Amino acid sequence: MSTLVATNKKSFGATLWDYLTTVDHKKIAIMYLIAGGFFFLVGGLEALAIRWQLVQPMNDFVSAGFYNELITMHGTTMIFLAAMPLIFAFMNAVVPLQIGARDVAFPFLNSLGFWLFLFGGIMLNVGWFTGGAADAGWTAYAPLSTTSPGEGVDYYVLGLQISGAGTLMGGINFLVTIVNMRAPGMTYMRMPLFTWTAFVASALILFAFPALTVGLFLMMFDRLFGAGFFEANMGGNAVIWQHLFWIFGHPEVYILALPAFGVFSEIISTFSKKRLFGYTAMVFATVLIGFLGFMVWAHHMFTVGMGPAANSIFAVATMAIAVPTGIKIFNWLFTLWGGSIEINTPMLWALGFIPTFTLGGMTGVMVAAASADYQFHDTYFVVAHFHYVIVGGVVFALLAGLHYWWPKMFGTILDDKLGKITFWFFFIGFHLTFFIQHFLGLMGMPRRYWTYLENQGLDLGNLVSTIGAFLMGVGTIFLLINIVKTTMKNERVGGDPWDARTLEWAIPSPPPFYNFKQLPLVRGLDPLWVEKTEGRKGMTPAEPIGDIHMPNNSFLPFVISVGLFIAGFGFIYQKHDLSWLTLIFIGMGIALGAMLTRSVKDDIGYHIHKEDLQKEAEE
Amino acid sequence: MKDWMGKIRTLSIFSFLVMVLTACGKDNLTALVPKGYGAEQSFNVIIISILVMIVVFIVVMAIYIYVVLKFRRKKGQEDQIPVQTEGNKTLEVVWTVIPILLLIIIAVPTIASTYDLADEGEKEDSINVNVKGMQFWWNFEYANEEVQTSQELYIPVDQKVYLNMLSGDVIHAFWVPSISGKMDVSPENENTMYIQAFEEGVYWGKCTEFCGDSHSLMDFKIVVVSQEEYDQWIDGMKNTDPEYTAQSASAQEGQQLFNNNCISCHAIDASATNPVIAPNLADFDNRTMIAGIEHYSKEALVDWIMNPGEIKPGNGMMDAEYLDDEGMSTISEEDVEKIADFLMELKATDEPVDSVKDFREQEGQGN
């Protein structure tokens, strides 16, 4: 029963089947990367359409209804279908390697999480082709969402429910992996910052996503079965949706931002050739930000009419987050201080991030001041603020991480020159787009406006903003060119092209499917660096070569996801015609049948035998 | 790399010029030139927080620029390994404590003004207006005067006016940036805020809570007038006649058409007993704009009645019986012109108040 996968080229069908059934976290990472990247482009095109509509006052490039679908889907896509999965791509690609693990704790669950996300994402976008996507804003405030005609919001509700379940599974998987599967010597306080942030973000997922799940269920019952949870004249209350949404939605910002901080901590440390300044403080700040992230949701609701006491409490709690965030900024600066800074593409993104995110944090404190927020709220000032945080923080990190870990994931290295061109177009375009929006907001431009009147002093700012957005688009095209070029050239790089510090660089690129032949012995922070400074090339093993236990591939995660996807259509269309109930039964039957199969089938995986590993080493 | 630096410099100069040229925006719309109490309170907190934050930004950028220039890897030193500093307790305490102090500087005035703006102590002695937000227009009912109007809220200068706000459908938000910050208008909880304007004039109001297709066109105005003008206007409004008889021949025909097609939703008198279904058309001739967004002219009014869905997509008037399935009027343009003639006769005072006259003049100049 021994099996080392043959290295000769496989047919397309075999590769496809391999990816459909894989439970290998590195392959799942690649699938997250491709799917997330695709949705990133979709969300980007939606953004360009939005900006084109606003290029001049009273423009009629798109209709009001279509515009509302665009803004809703742009927000939903970017948060749930681009940023989240791309973060998951890096968590999958890197975290098990950074802690010296051979696999994640629940490989099957990991695969299920991916397929649920993908089918949920497809479901969300099906609306475009069946008479209109969701149009109630990405926050879907009731009662606008519960009364929105058509099926757009139903696709939103069910699509997010399915993909949210996938995200929750992913979070649980990483929590358990990091708690249980660290290599010998990898104590908590020796974990790389990216793993730490992934850990805290996973904990946030565990607590935040159930709130979304509950909210979506209530909305589903309101929309599909005529319940009245959010209906004022049926005794419901629409503000409850806002609370549920933001109890999820605010931590969500940190679910995205914390791993981004982790990425930058790795990159800044690697390319200034120094250990992270104030590591303990960084870990503490990460945990504190995660904790405070749950305490501040109602700062999205200062104008709801909660009263001055609640507004003041949430204002001060929100401002408090600036303290640990500030600690992080200064620690990064002092990691650079006295270092030997190499400015290549990943580092360029990290260096671009610091001032950008500082600006985003500053406006964050301003928005947190409740009485000032009465002017900022729901205007372009807020649009500018959260794009500074989410693009300047998260997207910059994703692009930095893409260049940084590309060699580890694919064994080739992205072109540095093209990478820098991408950076400058994107960076300048970004600031051109969003800096001016702060002023637009204060000058009277509310957000989610399909158009604005002539002669209101808003023309020039909007024009500049649109030009900036297209520059970002040009930057993205250079990135795509870079990816294609690098893949075509297929120039292999070694295991450690950056002279880096953490464990993932101690093994070949791309890593073998069992990751570590022998689990490494971790003897300090930045374990690979510790070994290198002592003159060794690689890690000291913590165990003799032995059999490695591996999980079997499985097609069931795909089947379960397809089942729920089919059932989703049944739920939506049964409101028109009860014969659609059949689809619910078929879909749920497929999903539950696959789950049952999984439960009763004894799947104990297989072993890679010691002899094979030794033979491979000799070759 | 060099020419990039040049481009960045050009770009930053360009952005700065843009800021200067656009200045602070349109006078009766911007939050940056407060003309009312709430806007002033918010503005003060905005300025305090901006100043504190600029100090922080300067410190961060100073360190940032220094380290990036000073510690960039130089040619020939690629193999040098810098000292591996673990951290520095003193420094870390400093950059924990200082931000806390800075935040207190912002938090204190924030809390003070938050409580101040929520104060309802003088509510009973002030003008109270019941505000109703509907897709995509506004109704204002003067609680003690038993008068209601739509789209334009008249208030006397320097007086506290309490707004009790409720929505007729989805959540809206009431925002007049020059006068005061915004407050949500929700279907279940009545929210109260007060406004107080310092200068006469017409101020632009906008809906800021996403409310459907024409969210971006749900504009209204606050007309700030002298106490004297206000009293006259209220008097006039009280005397608007539901049995009004049109003057000109064309308007008389228009009134007939109006009574056949429009009266079931629109009232022509300002009595508070009129149900709030569609905008109240009493005092129509004093409006600053048609439907809140089009210049006040007969032509624009005719356009609006002929095809309201084209101008404000998704608005309730599209369900009116006189419109066909495409949203086009089944009444001929000639007849609609007569209706317009009739509507433009409706007035509560002899002529528009000064603020409205000024506003129309200014708006006219722009085109």
Side-chain angles (χ1 to χ4, degrees), chain A residues 374-375, chain B residues 36-39 117 175-182 193-195:
Chain A
Y374 296 161
Q375 293 287 17
Chain B
Y37 186 76
L117 291 175
W175 188 39
V176 187
S178 311
I179 306 281
S180 188
K182 63 189 69 68
M193 72 186 285
Y194 66 84
I195 52 174

Side-chain angles (χ1 to χ4, degrees), chain A residues 64-65 68 71 135-137 141-144 147 232 236-239 242 271-279 281 303-305 308-309 311-312 316 319 322-323 327 329-331 333-334 336-343 351 354-355 358-359 362 365-366 369-372 374-379 424 428 435-436 439 441-444 446-451 453-456 460 501 529, chain B residues 1 4 8 11 15 18-19 22-26 29-32 39 42 45-46 49-50 53-54 57 59-61 63-64 66-68 71-73 81-88 91-92 95-96 99-100 103 106-107 110-111 113-115 117-118 135 169-171 175 177 180-184 187-189 191 204 206-213 215-217 219 293 313 363 366-367:
Chain A
N68 291 345
I71 55 160
D135 61 354
Y141 276 13
L144 182 66
T147 53
N237 187 322
V239 176
Q242 296 186 31
F271 295 115
S272 40
K273 289 237 166 303
K274 279 183 67 197
R275 63 170 286 174
L276 198 65
F277 190 90
Y279 171 85
T303 65
V304 160
N311 278 3
S312 300
V316 174
M319 288 179 197
V323 176
I327 292 175
I329 297 270
F330 284 109
N331 276 328
L333 289 176
F334 278 76
L336 293 165
W337 192 295
S340 167
I341 303 171
E342 181 186 355
I343 301 185
L351 292 175
I354 291 178
T358 307
L359 281 170
M362 283 166 57
V365 174
M366 293 173 69
S371 53
Y374 296 161
Q375 293 287 17
F376 303 136
H377 183 76
D378 267 342
T379 69
W424 284 111
I428 293 172
F435 189 71
I436 202 156
F439 296 88
L442 284 167
M443 280 153 49
R447 72 194 275 204
R448 292 164 171 163
Y449 263 31
W450 155 60
T451 189
L453 301 181
E454 283 161 21
N455 191 25
Q456 299 219 315
L460 189 59
R501 315 169 69 86
W529 185 260
Chain B
M1 234 50 239
W4 279 115
I8 295 170
L11 202 78
S15 326
V18 168
M19 301 293 141
T22 53
C24 296
K26 198 176 161 78
L29 177 61
T30 176
L32 293 168
S42 296
V45 178
I46 291 173
S49 56
I50 279 193
M53 287 299 133
I54 284 177
F57 190 67
V59 172
V60 169
M61 284 318 285
I63 302 175
Y64 173 82
Y66 176 75
V67 291
V68 172
F71 299 108
R72 216 175 146 170
R73 190 173 301 169
I81 305 293
V83 185
Q84 303 289 306
T85 349
E86 193 172 318
N88 184 319
L91 272 177
E92 285 170 43
W95 62 57
T96 309
I100 292 177
L103 288 179
I106 302 175
T110 298
I111 295 173
S113 55
T114 303
Y115 272 89
L117 291 175
Q135 285 169 327
D169 36 51
V170 300
I171 303 174
W175 188 39
S180 188
K182 63 189 69 68
M183 178 67 96
D184 282 7
E188 60 246 332
N189 312 313
N191 282 337
W204 218 290
K206 294 193 172 277
C207 175
T208 52
E209 187 60 78
F210 186 46
C211 61
D213 280 1
H215 167 53
S216 52
L217 301 171
D219 290 10
I293 47 170
E363 283 301 308
N367 292 272

Side-chain angles (χ1 to χ4, degrees), chain A residues 1 19 25 31 77 88 127 131 141 159 210 213 231 243 249-250 324 337 344 347 358 361 436 463 479 492 501 565 606:
Chain A
M1 208 180 130
Y19 273 88
H25 65 92
M31 291 196 293
T77 302
F88 268 63
Y141 276 13
T213 308
E231 196 59 50
H243 281 290
H250 195 78
W337 192 295
N344 50 22
M347 189 60 168
T358 307
I436 202 156
L463 175 67
L479 175 71
R492 312 311 291 179
R501 315 169 69 86
F565 182 70
Y606 65 94

Side-chain angles (χ1 to χ4, degrees), chain A residues 285-368:
Chain A
T286 304
V287 177
L288 193 61
I289 293 174
F291 176 76
L292 288 174
F294 275 101
M295 306 293 148
V296 298
W297 78 92
H299 68 205
H300 296 266
M301 300 164 63
F302 282 148
T303 65
V304 160
M306 296 184 301
N311 278 3
S312 300
I313 290 167
F314 281 103
V316 174
T318 306
M319 288 179 197
I321 296 186
V323 176
T325 313
I327 292 175
K328 281 186 169 256
I329 297 270
F330 284 109
N331 276 328
W332 285 318
L333 289 176
F334 278 76
T335 305
L336 293 165
W337 192 295
S340 167
I341 303 171
E342 181 186 355
I343 301 185
N344 50 22
T345 309
M347 189 60 168
L348 206 49
W349 284 108
L351 292 175
F353 154 80
I354 291 178
T356 311
F357 193 82
T358 307
L359 281 170
M362 283 166 57
T363 50
V365 174
M366 293 173 69
V367 173

